[in-house]
Amino acid sequence: MNKTLLGYVPEHSPIYSVHPFVKLFFLLVVSLFPMFISAPEWNVGLMLGIMLLMIYSRVSLRTLKMYIPVAISMGIIILLSYTLLGGVQPQYQQITRVLGVSIYWERLRDALVVYFRVVPMILSMVFFLSTSRERDLIVAMRTIRIPFVVTYVFAMALRAAGMVLEDFHIVRQAEQARGFDATGKSIPYKIRKYVMYMIPLFALSLRRTEEFTNALVARGYAFAGEGARVKRADFVLTHYHFSVMDGLYTTVIVLLFAAILVARYGFQRLTVEDSYFLNWLYSIIVSAA
Amino acid sequence: MLIGIGFVVGAFGSISFPLGFGVNFFWTGIVVQQVGPIWFGAWGVIAGAIFPFFSNAIAGTPFYVSLAYIPANAVQAFLPAWIFRKFKCDPRLKKPSDYGFLLVGMIISSAFGALWSTMVVLRGFGLLTAESTPLFVWGWFGGNVVAGIVFNFILLKALSPVVIRTSGFVKRWWS
């Protein structure tokens, strides 16, 4: 198993035959798709597509469990925001009243549109994080010629996150070994005791920073001056080859995006009015009302 | 390292008390965002602007929404540090005025962050209605200020004497 930014992927996953740039490109472009799609069924299709890619890449779908509470809380908030907190809108079609507040069809419809826009955006991010390692991100950034300093800061940040997480576990185990147990305690209590993690975590990080600085100085790295002008070999790039298939994947992503833009603005499709799901839901809700 | 701490601490806050789209009732990442620049100057501001992008990504905020939050995070990181340097406050919080200036910096910067993130970003992406915007403005503002009050003062008081003795401490902005 190889550790990715968000989990583990088997060593023989087909995703490793894809160039890291393609994965970054997928994130950057596919995240834009839902912004131009209003019909929820198309966004659900996109979600299923991303999940199929995750299965094909042998990413454990258990990773998604972490996002279920986020998806639920976000759904509730969007629904409340558009319905109970949506205000009085006499121009809209009222379908019912809840707790003395009018619920309008247009607001409910917009809540569904927004929700099904956000979820595929999150899924595309999860797909990227689940299938990419720190090294992939560096390779992708170097492939598109992002300056060395920027790439290096990103790389150090990702490396530091892993180290801090490790330190966090050490601090937590040390607290537990001293008999600290926050199980079943109230949230204000846990928040107060959170300081017990923060102070050692910062102190450990300060020590790590010194080690980091010394290592960088010893290797002759510098962000300014003579040291920064030295041309450095992109050793890691020599391990990756942008193949014909990678070019094909990139082209497919571009063509899909172009197709969405043409469908939306050329043929007025993928809109709310064009949605089979929303029209079906409207007929049910209005007949019930 | 600051980005690393922010990544972990920010993601913890984002997952534990979510309001939605990276807005939280209690965002612990604010500690790293506001204390870091006081200690490490412009490097801390850069870290404070960047790390929420990573922690939000892990916590399930869409890529472009996280990207659009960067100006809010940059101001939240910059303003308390600027006030601290402008009024020559001591990171060890020796005088009552040091506490006062830090509190003012926290409140103003969080207010800007809350207004930018909800009225520009979330409204711009069409994720909120005008009527529900105040809930998110208060969620962001309260979530940051309360967490800041709980942790910022304690952390500065406890660790500043150690930090100012290290080579990483930045008295002005860059060195």
Side-chain angles (χ1 to χ4, degrees), chain B residues 71-94:
Chain B
N73 288 314
V75 170
Q76 284 186 169
F78 170 75
L79 209 64
W82 180 79
I83 289 177
F84 239 72
R85 281 162 177 77
K86 175 83 181 163
F87 296 100
K88 296 186 170 42
C89 300
D90 189 330
R92 290 167 293 185
L93 303 179
K94 293 223 160 164

Side-chain angles (χ1 to χ4, degrees), chain A residues 28 35 66-67 77 81-82 85-86 89 107 114 118 122 125 154 157 161 191 194-195 202 205-206 208-210, chain B residues 1 3 5 7 12 19 26 28 54 57-58 60 63-64 125-127 129 131-132 136 151 155 159 163 167:
Chain A
L28 295 177
M35 289 191 202
M66 190 176 113
Y67 292 95
I77 286 159
S81 160
Y82 275 83
L85 300 169
Q89 310 287 347
R107 286 297 203 195
V114 166
V118 174
I122 295 173
M125 179 66 109
F154 259 77
I191 288 170
Y194 194 61
V195 178
F202 262 88
S205 298
L206 285 170
R208 293 255 199 203
T209 310
E210 296 273 311
Chain B
M1 283 308 290
I3 299 177
I5 305 178
F7 192 159
F12 173 83
L19 183 54
F26 189 82
T28 44
F54 292 109
I58 292 287
F63 179 83
Y64 289 102
F125 277 93
L127 298 175
T129 59
E131 291 79 7
S132 62
F136 279 78
F151 297 124
L155 216 62
L159 286 180
V163 174
S167 57

